[in-house]
Amino acid sequence: MILVNKILSNRYEIIEKIGAGGMAIVYKAKDLLLNRIVTIKVLREQFTADEEFVRRFRREAQSAASLSHTNIVSIYDVGKDEETEYIVMEYVEGQNLKEIIRNYAPLSTEQTVELGIQIAEAIHHAHEHQIIHRDIKPHNILVTEDGRIKVTDFGIARAVTAATVTHTGDIVGSVHYLSPEQARGVQTNEQSDVYSLGIILYELLTGKVPYDGETPIAIALKHLQELPDPPSKFNPRVSLALENVVMRAIAKSPDQRYSSAQELLADLRKVQSGLPVQGVENLEEHDLETTRIHRSLSEDINSNLGEGMEQEIARPRRKKTGKKPQKPWLWG
């Protein structure tokens, strides 16, 4: 399916392909009616005859369109042109957070907190509207030239009131950022997004994720069975207050984790103001107990983590010029 130069619904002129994922292809386009550049996500041709995929695709638009926040990519339109299902979104010029991590991590406490606050504000806004992202990862977070965070790709977001149990073979979140409850395939809530944000904060501070492995299943088991090294082990400049925030956010047990993005946001603001943040008492003992409980879950994880995990969608970025990446405003 070649869409470049094609005009969808007599309105959206496709300019170029800028990314692709397991479910959709992403294009830069021009809205001829409003004379502005937009991003268009087009459902892959092989899925247009699959009613379940079409429903999932439309649900993404309906969920995200209800959100209006400066740190969330806006949804402008959803449509169909013959057999082409598409969503029209705000076009964001900049880098995704994964690119920034590769180029600049480890970041300072100040930089990490500034980014973390903006991401937490976006997640909190979504949670207020009963929407769980369920796939928070650096690839889904854009950073503009002036340091503004934009969370995107609510492709698997679901309303809290809808069924949130992950079915066998249907875990599509990137496994490095997957919460333990998602890995087990049980019901997820707002705390799953909190966990994923905690993993991102860890990566910003250290340049690495706390759990890695050769296969998705091996990584998922580490989320359940292993205790992470504190960020200060890899970056001694990490403040105690921020380390306490990160370790609480990535606690394996939801009982030990922040109960909401708002609660996490409040502690990040304390760190930004230079105030102390209390660590979680007996976190190691509590998480080790959780580890013992879940030692026998490798078969369950194997059944839940199928090979069909959705590939990350590449984000709009500048074309390579051979020059060193220009630091965005936040790193000036």
Side-chain angles (χ1 to χ4, degrees):
M1 179 169 57
I2 300 176
L3 292 182
V4 175
N5 297 323
K6 183 176 179 179
I7 299 177
L8 297 177
S9 303
N10 295 316
R11 178 172 177 177
Y12 303 108
E13 182 180 5
I14 304 298
I15 298 173
E16 63 178 323
K17 177 181 174 181
I18 55 177
M23 193 177 72
I25 301 173
V26 185
Y27 296 93
K28 180 180 180 181
K30 183 176 182 179
D31 182 339
L32 300 177
L33 180 62
L34 298 179
N35 192 30
R36 65 181 176 185
I37 299 299
V38 296
T39 297
I40 294 186
K41 180 184 287 187
V42 176
L43 185 63
R44 286 187 177 274
E45 191 173 9
Q46 61 264 39
F47 298 136
T48 55
D50 188 320
E51 292 183 2
E52 173 57 31
F53 272 92
V54 171
R55 280 196 296 269
R56 180 183 298 182
F57 193 71
R58 290 174 179 168
R59 182 173 64 234
E60 170 182 351
Q62 293 167 353
S63 297
S66 68
L67 304 176
S68 179
H69 192 275
T70 186
N71 296 123
I72 295 177
V73 171
S74 297
I75 300 296
Y76 296 146
D77 192 13
V78 58
K80 181 177 182 180
D81 184 313
E82 296 180 347
E83 298 304 314
T84 302
E85 300 270 356
Y86 63 88
I87 297 174
V88 183
M89 303 178 289
E90 172 186 5
Y91 180 79
V92 179
E93 186 71 43
Q95 304 176 76
N96 69 42
L97 194 56
K98 191 66 176 182
E99 293 173 307
I100 287 175
I101 289 170
R102 291 182 183 130
N103 290 327
Y104 306 116
L107 304 185
S108 69
T109 290
E110 293 76 16
Q111 293 165 340
T112 300
V113 169
E114 173 62 29
L115 293 172
I117 285 175
Q118 293 187 61
I119 301 168
E121 286 178 339
I123 294 173
H124 172 54
H125 177 78
H127 291 175
E128 284 189 313
H129 289 76
Q130 291 76 52
I131 294 174
I132 305 170
H133 192 293
R134 299 179 76 243
D135 194 23
I136 293 294
K137 58 184 178 182
H139 318 73
N140 288 339
I141 299 169
L142 307 179
V143 185
T144 66
E145 291 183 347
D146 62 354
R148 174 73 63 184
I149 283 290
K150 292 278 190 177
V151 180
T152 188
D153 202 357
F154 284 80
I156 56 173
R158 297 180 180 180
V160 172
T161 53
T164 55
V165 176
T166 303
H167 300 288
T168 299
D170 197 35
I171 293 182
V172 293
S174 292
V175 70
H176 287 100
Y177 308 92
L178 207 63
S179 68
E181 53 270 24
Q182 284 176 290
R184 294 197 301 272
V186 301
Q187 187 171 16
T188 58
N189 59 21
E190 291 89 344
Q191 287 179 287
S192 299
D193 285 348
V194 168
Y195 182 92
S196 299
L197 176 51
I199 298 292
I200 291 174
L201 295 175
Y202 188 105
E203 190 176 14
L204 289 170
L205 289 169
T206 66
K208 61 177 68 180
V209 290
Y211 307 111
D212 204 356
E214 295 183 357
T215 66
I217 294 170
I219 298 168
L221 286 172
K222 289 183 178 181
H223 281 287
L224 292 169
Q225 297 178 352
E226 294 188 7
L227 292 175
D229 291 317
S232 59
K233 177 178 179 179
F234 307 104
N235 181 1
R237 296 176 298 170
V238 176
S239 68
L240 177 60
L242 184 53
E243 180 160 282
N244 286 340
V245 170
V246 173
M247 297 304 286
R248 183 174 178 184
I250 63 175
K252 299 185 188 306
S253 169
D255 292 339
Q256 296 289 89
R257 203 181 305 159
Y258 287 106
S259 62
S260 67
Q262 186 176 27
E263 189 177 5
L264 169 59
L265 183 58
D267 271 0
L268 283 173
R269 286 175 172 152
K270 286 183 181 179
V271 176
Q272 191 176 52
S273 299
L275 300 174
V277 175
Q278 185 175 357
V280 180
E281 295 182 4
N282 301 320
L283 176 61
E284 183 171 336
E285 292 180 9
H286 196 285
D287 275 358
L288 281 175
E289 180 63 27
T290 303
T291 297
R292 286 192 288 270
I293 292 172
H294 296 301
R295 285 289 184 187
S296 63
L297 283 177
S298 58
E299 291 185 3
D300 294 337
I301 302 249
N302 188 60
S303 67
N304 278 312
L305 284 175
E307 295 181 358
M309 295 178 66
E310 183 175 347
Q311 300 174 10
E312 66 200 39
I313 291 179
R315 297 290 143 213
R317 65 191 73 178
R318 289 192 180 88
K319 294 181 180 179
K320 294 182 179 180
T321 61
K323 298 179 181 179
K324 186 177 180 181
Q326 182 178 359
K327 290 186 179 183
W329 166 83
L330 188 62
W331 287 266

